Amino acid sequence: MGMDKQIVEIRTLKPGRYILIDNVPCRITAITHSKPGKHGGAKAKIDAIGIFDNQKRSVIKPAGQKVEVPIIHKRTAQVLTTIGDRVQLMDMETYETFELPLEEEIKDKISEGMEVIYMESMGQRMILQVKGE
């Protein structure tokens, strides 16, 4: 797995897509393009929210520049056990086991043996949904 990212031109990005800002995977919420000025090319302002930390981030770059985009993997895992505010999961493909913090909004929906869909990017993971909801 490792550092999963690819390089794309800013002009190919759209809201809802992902971008790396300060090496943090973010979902783009808005892109505004400024017209080329007297001194140089058009610029793009990208507003985004961190996938794992919900922090708002913005970046302004020349529209023709290339940026790094995280590769997001969505996988299925089985719930092995919950311990307090953590859940232990096993990936259904690789059989790797790992722990994640248990988010408040899914705490009541999770029980042993259930399957969840989780997202992984840049070495971080997060539960997206409980299967069968």
Side-chain angles (χ1 to χ4, degrees):
M1 290 192 226
M3 297 307 243
D4 297 324
K5 53 191 173 187
Q6 61 192 39
I7 310 246
V8 301
E9 278 193 29
I10 287 180
R11 67 177 114 246
T12 65
L13 296 175
K14 295 178 178 67
R17 291 272 191 74
Y18 300 100
I19 185 173
L20 282 177
I21 299 177
D22 301 329
N23 230 15
V24 176
C26 299
R27 180 177 282 122
I28 297 170
T29 54
I31 299 177
T32 40
H33 293 277
S34 66
K35 300 215 172 343
K38 195 161 52 171
H39 301 289
K43 299 247 188 290
K45 179 176 188 258
I46 301 169
D47 296 316
I49 293 182
I51 299 171
F52 298 107
D53 63 5
N54 276 332
Q55 295 276 317
K56 285 188 178 170
R57 292 177 173 81
S58 291
V59 63
I60 298 175
K61 296 194 179 274
Q65 191 173 338
K66 292 184 179 344
V67 290
E68 292 180 330
V69 174
I71 296 170
I72 310 281
H73 301 282
K74 289 187 180 160
R75 304 183 197 278
T76 304
Q78 184 175 15
V79 177
L80 297 177
T81 185
T82 54
I83 311 139
D85 60 352
R86 298 194 62 78
V87 59
Q88 191 177 38
L89 300 168
M90 179 181 70
D91 187 287
M92 300 296 283
E93 246 174 78
T94 64
Y95 303 110
E96 174 195 2
T97 57
F98 55 93
E99 273 188 26
L100 289 177
L102 193 50
E103 306 288 329
E104 251 338 289
E105 57 267 19
I106 58 172
K107 211 174 208 161
D108 306 334
K109 300 174 187 163
I110 280 190
S111 59
E112 289 178 24
M114 288 181 102
E115 287 185 9
V116 295
I117 295 170
Y118 74 96
M119 170 170 69
E120 179 175 43
S121 180
M122 304 292 291
Q124 293 181 288
R125 296 175 171 144
M126 174 175 108
I127 295 173
L128 290 177
Q129 72 183 82
V130 179
K131 275 187 141 182
E133 263 198 285

